[in-house]
Amino acid sequence: MSIKPSQLAAPVITCLIGLITGVATAAPSVELVTDALSTPIRVTAPTGDDRLFVVEQTGLIRVFDQDGTDRGIFLDWTGETTPGGERGLLGLAFDPRYPTTGRFYINYTDNGGDTRVARLRVDPADPDRALAGSVEPILFVAQPYSNHNGGQLVFGPDRMLYVGLGDGGSGGDPDGNGQNGQTLLGAMLRLDVSGVGPGYAIPVDNPFVGNPAVRDEIWALGVRNPWCYGFDRLTGDLYIADVGQGDYEEVNVQPAASSGGENYGWRIMEGAHCFSPPDGCNQAGLTLPVHEYTHGGNPFRCSISGGFVHRGGTVPDLAGRYLFADYCSNQIWSLDWTAADGLGAVIDHTATLTPPGGYNSLVSIGEDGHGDLYVVDRGGSFWRIIEDTASAVDLPPPGDRLLGAHPNPFNPQTELVFELRAAGPISLTVHDLAGRRLATAAGGVYGAGEHRVTWDGRDARGGALASGVYLVRLSTPASVSTRKVTLAR
């Protein structure tokens, strides 16, 4: 196949009974969330939300708790799409102001095989269900062939909707869409969907506005099939995993400072190599990938399944690293890249991120509302990437730190105390000893200094947790700090 993010008094500090301090470093691992799915292809969530939304290619969007508890069907779109191959329900994105607007967007191929993007709203009476009859058409693009439909949808830090479209399909881009600015195929689109009603507006700062040779919607050109792409929620850099033709798979990165207009080369180039013509191609004005890998090998590699930069804090060793996989070989890698230094180390994590029974077909890397990542197996399961707590080693905190909890043990509530060296975004979460997130105690941007947050011993759904030991984790862009707290009911 080619589918293919007040100062405490000293006596108080001395009585805080945290058993884990500093930054825990451990090898990454995975834990099963659920294996009761039908062709899952995406895992996502609104920013800050503790739930997990799973897109099934067959046309359903399902909702789960962090522990895998099934909350039911969020949206049934099975009557509007005919799945198969690279067709079906392919993407889901939540409005950046979702808690206020209740709006979300889906990307799918209709029963005729053409691409449609639509907006819907959540049922105000039930946060786990879409509102029947709320659909509004946003975008329609005719598809000449059955494959290379792209599929993912993401909102950027600019609150614009980014839509990645493949070159129209077949093989070798026979219609030349990758380098044709008059079609939306083979391009990354940037749309303003903040208005009311159907359709979209053209952002005035899109790079080709006013250029008669290129459609105003286009943000970047020259992609073959951007099946997976996403923004680093800290830096704003855009990572695009573009599926190759017969020899190379590639990762492109658009720096946050870019004003758009890149041409990633297809079909002149496949990866960093000439494709048409096969030799001596004109590379002027093209942006080459930051990383590529070849097809073949043992296990056989064939199609990149991209992902996101890890910013969730559950696995400190992966912080700031972009994770991607291969659909055929089920290998998983990470890389680090910065605008200042370019590509850093590329690391193979297959051994530690593969469960004992292996995978069927790794179709994507998903991201939840807190920046933690998930491995999505099209065979019917998805897995949370966690740290192997059995091998964790505690290191001194590098500035931002969780000071502890008071009282500890506690009942019915405790005050979580943390310190920040500088202002910035934080996530203060509660986990069980296996690393599963149970609740979010605090999130958002906090100023430098000490802060106190009260946690009442309840999970994300408001249920009272049982007596026991739990992990409280402070995650910031600079570090991750963890402590144990004891709930004694």
Side-chain angles (χ1 to χ4, degrees):
M1 292 185 67
S2 56
I3 43 174
K4 349 194 229 249
S6 66
Q7 211 54 33
L8 284 178
V12 175
I13 293 178
T14 58
C15 72
L16 297 175
I17 315 177
L19 299 183
I20 301 179
T21 62
V23 180
T25 62
S29 184
V30 291
E31 65 174 5
L32 180 67
V33 180
T34 183
D35 58 0
L37 298 168
S38 175
T39 60
I41 56 174
R42 311 282 182 201
V43 171
T44 187
T47 300
D49 200 306
D50 286 330
R51 295 170 296 172
L52 301 169
F53 292 76
V54 180
V55 177
E56 295 182 332
Q57 190 176 359
T58 51
L60 297 181
I61 299 175
R62 310 184 70 93
V63 194
F64 293 86
D65 284 328
Q66 289 278 332
D67 64 1
T69 300
D70 191 344
R71 299 170 70 112
I73 297 173
F74 181 69
L75 177 68
D76 185 343
W77 210 246
T78 54
E80 306 298 324
T81 185
T82 304
E86 299 176 27
R87 290 174 168 174
L89 183 59
L90 303 176
L92 168 65
F94 292 91
D95 189 302
R97 293 174 285 238
Y98 180 74
T100 301
T101 68
R103 306 202 302 188
F104 65 94
Y105 298 77
I106 58 173
N107 187 352
Y108 66 102
T109 55
D110 61 22
N111 289 316
D114 296 318
T115 289
R116 293 182 184 267
V117 175
R119 175 168 58 218
L120 296 95
R121 287 180 288 125
V122 69
D123 189 333
D126 187 347
D128 290 335
R129 303 293 179 268
L131 183 64
S134 65
V135 61
E136 296 174 326
I138 298 297
L139 175 71
F140 171 84
V141 180
Q143 292 286 357
Y145 303 99
S146 64
N147 56 341
H148 300 184
N149 301 303
Q152 190 147 4
L153 292 176
V154 297
F155 278 92
D158 52 8
R159 294 181 174 175
M160 299 297 164
L161 181 64
Y162 289 74
V163 183
L165 291 173
D167 63 8
S170 189
D173 192 11
D175 298 335
N177 292 323
Q179 295 298 314
N180 181 4
Q182 293 298 310
T183 176
L184 299 183
L185 297 171
M188 300 294 299
L189 314 184
R190 179 176 180 255
L191 311 178
D192 182 352
V193 294
S194 62
V196 177
Y200 57 87
I202 302 294
V204 295
D205 57 346
N206 269 10
F208 298 109
V209 170
N211 181 344
V214 184
R215 293 278 297 269
D216 291 347
E217 295 93 333
I218 292 177
W219 180 248
L221 294 162
V223 291
R224 182 178 179 273
N225 190 29
W227 170 247
C228 296
Y229 49 92
F231 287 90
D232 181 337
R233 60 174 59 203
L234 178 63
T235 67
D237 300 325
L238 173 60
Y239 288 73
I240 306 167
D242 195 13
V243 178
Q245 176 65 42
D247 294 310
Y248 300 97
E249 303 299 306
E250 67 183 76
V251 177
N252 296 296
V253 183
Q254 184 186 68
S258 171
S259 56
E262 285 87 350
N263 185 335
Y264 291 110
W266 176 252
R267 68 177 177 174
I268 299 171
M269 311 283 292
E270 181 188 9
H273 309 268
C274 291
F275 179 81
S276 180
D279 298 295
C281 59
N282 182 3
Q283 302 180 29
L286 303 183
T287 299
L288 300 186
V290 302
H291 176 66
E292 65 175 25
Y293 67 87
T294 60
H295 288 194
N298 185 17
F300 182 79
R301 301 177 299 271
C302 76
S303 176
I304 191 169
S305 300
F308 293 88
V309 175
H310 195 290
R311 294 295 182 187
T314 55
V315 189
D317 280 358
L318 294 180
R321 300 189 64 83
Y322 171 75
L323 272 74
F324 59 102
D326 186 84
Y327 181 81
C328 293
S329 70
N330 293 327
Q331 292 171 279
I332 304 173
W333 303 271
S334 75
L335 62 80
D336 69 292
W337 180 93
T338 65
D341 300 322
L343 181 66
V346 179
I347 300 175
D348 188 340
H349 299 279
T350 307
T352 58
L353 293 184
T354 301
Y359 296 110
N360 185 307
S361 299
L362 293 188
V363 69
S364 70
I365 304 292
E367 182 188 43
D368 69 15
H370 304 278
D372 289 319
L373 302 186
Y374 297 76
V375 179
V376 185
D377 185 350
R378 194 166 180 265
S381 62
F382 74 103
W383 303 71
R384 179 183 294 106
I385 298 177
I386 61 172
E387 66 179 7
D388 182 358
T389 55
S391 64
V393 177
D394 294 331
L395 301 175
D400 302 334
R401 56 181 179 167
L402 184 61
L403 296 176
H406 180 69
N408 186 17
F410 72 95
N411 181 26
Q413 64 185 32
T414 186
E415 191 174 61
L416 307 175
V417 185
F418 61 94
E419 179 183 60
L420 301 181
R421 174 174 293 181
I426 69 103
S427 176
L428 188 63
T429 53
V430 180
H431 305 249
D432 62 19
L433 293 180
R436 292 182 289 265
R437 184 191 289 113
L438 304 176
T440 300
V445 177
Y446 280 70
E450 246 166 50
H451 303 274
R452 304 180 187 187
V453 172
T454 298
W455 177 52
D456 61 3
R458 295 182 179 274
D459 63 20
R461 303 182 70 176
L465 292 174
S467 297
V469 178
Y470 297 92
L471 298 175
V472 177
R473 176 171 290 136
L474 173 70
S475 302
T476 76
S479 66
V480 178
S481 181
T482 307
R483 283 181 176 268
K484 286 182 180 177
V485 295
T486 301
L487 175 57
R489 294 198 185 277

